[in-house]
Amino acid sequence: MTQSHRPRAGRRTGLLAAAVAASLGLTAVALNAPSAVSAEAAPAPAAPAPAAAGAAPAPGEVVVDETFTAPALPAGWAAVEGDWKVEGGRLVGTSANSGQQSRITFGRHLDDFRIEATARFETVQDGARWTALGLDVPASGATPWSIATMRTGTTAANGLEFARRTPANAWNVTDTAAAPTAAGTGRDVRIAVEVHGTTARWIFDGKEVMRTTQVARSADGGQALVVNGAKVSFDDLKVTALAPAGRLRPAGAPLTVFAHRGASSAAPENTLVSDEIARRGGAEWIENDVQPSKDGVPYVLHDDTVDRTTDGKGRIRDLTAAQLDTLDAGSGSAPSTPAPASPPWPPSWRTCAPAAATCCWRSRASTAATRSPGSSRRCATRG
């Protein structure tokens, strides 16, 4: 072992009510984070020669590589809480209850790295119990620390998470996603997280599931494993130093197609029709613009006025929802295009109303959800 760390459009509905997601089965996602494209993780390059003691490891250098063949805990690993032992060629961590964050720390501080391991839930108290890869954890295990969490019920909306345990021992969950398959119990899953400063991507059994830009980092935190209300075994754990993340798409990485205001070259922009054409045409993401009415109801519209894209006139913020619902946003420019009515924007979403926003939607069937631009990164406010 080397240890060197998401208007109404029709004859009377002109504006597309901002329930595009509810009608089409789209999920709101972060605009200012990179798209989470499912892709096989690229294999790490051949490891260079180890760095000298105290020197920063070279990109590709494996700094922790543990298969747990020895009967004792690896040298330099510190069991902070809970029961940790090597058993049957695997590291086994046990947490007695949901209130115990059993953790073991190891490795060194790295700005850019990949941590991966084979994990298996042996027993769990319930489907909400979890294990985690520690991304920035002090050697002492003291708070605060940042982790990438996997629940045994991984297909739940929060089956995977990026989270931080604060100095006050409270949770700050920044990002959640559902894994493509269930981890369950008694099944090995390969989990990995690639970290570049405060950004990271969650990889579940070779498929990238989510990204974040909110990993809280410290000056000296290393890596760790955490178990909560479960018994979990680990094998083939590896930490690899990575090169700093560039702004260019990595060689061989798949392209991501965004439909700007839906398929706006084929149908009236920002309408259910344009969004549906984009979805059927294979766009992976759909971008829509959200503006509030005078009485605070969100509508999908790009401009400050309704003049260009509807048969009405005036600033959208000077018009009530009742007035906006009489406008036509489609038949004038595309009379042959059917324009289905859309359901009303759910009341729980109307926290987006105080400010205009630009939102991107994942073009796939799933439960639609969004949050206030002021409290999440689902939408980006623009005035």
Side-chain angles (χ1 to χ4, degrees):
M1 185 273 289
T2 303
Q3 181 148 350
S4 319
H5 286 59
R6 154 192 258 220
R8 302 189 177 193
R11 300 276 176 189
R12 290 175 50 86
T13 58
L15 294 174
L16 167 62
V20 172
S23 176
L24 298 183
L26 310 177
T27 300
V29 296
L31 176 67
N32 62 340
S35 63
V37 182
S38 295
E40 291 292 337
E61 180 179 339
V62 178
V63 296
V64 178
D65 191 356
E66 185 57 63
T67 57
F68 308 105
T69 55
L73 293 178
W77 290 49
V80 177
E81 186 175 350
D83 180 54
W84 293 90
K85 60 185 176 182
V86 175
E87 187 175 78
R90 299 175 74 103
L91 175 66
V92 180
T94 304
S95 166
N97 54 65
S98 61
Q100 184 180 53
Q101 325 304 331
S102 297
R103 52 203 183 276
I104 187 168
T105 62
F106 55 89
R108 57 180 292 184
H109 181 79
L110 297 169
D111 289 327
D112 305 275
F113 66 95
R114 175 185 174 100
I115 179 171
E116 56 191 309
T118 298
R120 183 170 69 212
F121 287 99
E122 306 292 354
T123 62
V124 296
Q125 292 186 347
D126 57 65
R129 295 310 101 217
W130 51 267
T131 188
L133 297 174
L135 310 180
D136 193 300
V137 182
S140 66
T143 57
W145 29 270
S146 297
I147 60 175
T149 303
M150 175 180 72
R151 300 183 189 278
T152 179
T154 45
T155 54
N158 63 344
L160 302 177
E161 296 177 342
F162 282 109
R164 180 176 187 252
R165 189 71 169 178
T166 71
N169 274 315
W171 288 112
N172 177 23
V173 178
T174 60
D175 305 83
T176 65
T181 57
T185 56
R187 172 177 177 260
D188 279 348
V189 290
R190 189 69 179 171
I191 56 177
V193 177
E194 290 188 359
V195 180
H196 291 283
T198 61
T199 69
R201 62 190 195 119
W202 225 126
I203 301 163
F204 179 90
D205 266 346
K207 301 292 183 181
E208 181 180 322
V209 179
M210 115 178 103
R211 296 188 182 188
T212 186
T213 59
Q214 302 185 78
V215 178
R217 302 302 305 273
S218 68
D220 57 3
Q223 293 79 53
L225 296 172
V226 189
V227 175
N228 173 267
K231 178 180 179 181
V232 185
S233 66
F234 305 88
D235 200 2
D236 300 323
L237 185 144
K238 185 181 295 187
V239 178
T240 307
L242 301 177
R247 294 186 180 274
L248 296 179
R249 179 175 59 89
L255 293 172
T256 302
V257 178
F258 281 75
H260 184 232
R261 307 178 196 171
S264 52
S265 64
E269 68 181 52
N270 279 329
T271 62
L272 282 174
V273 174
S274 65
D275 281 10
E276 179 64 7
I277 291 175
R279 185 187 70 81
R280 295 186 183 187
E284 188 170 1
W285 301 86
I286 297 173
E287 179 267 350
N288 290 125
D289 306 282
V290 182
Q291 297 268 18
S293 66
K294 181 178 181 179
D295 43 352
V297 178
Y299 285 83
V300 169
L301 180 77
H302 175 269
D303 301 353
D304 291 335
T305 73
V306 301
D307 301 27
R308 180 177 64 87
T309 57
T310 81
D311 59 351
K313 290 186 179 298
R315 295 179 69 249
I316 184 171
R317 300 188 191 205
D318 294 335
L319 301 173
T320 65
Q323 291 173 305
L324 292 169
D325 284 347
T326 68
L327 302 182
D328 187 328
S331 63
S333 57
S336 63
T337 303
S342 63
W345 181 283
S348 62
W349 290 13
R350 297 188 179 183
T351 51
C352 278
T358 300
C359 297
C360 286
W361 310 88
R362 183 72 169 182
S363 179
R364 63 184 179 190
S366 59
T367 302
T370 192
R371 300 175 185 169
S372 165
S375 63
S376 79
R377 293 164 34 260
R378 298 284 184 172
C379 302
T381 57
R382 56 182 182 83

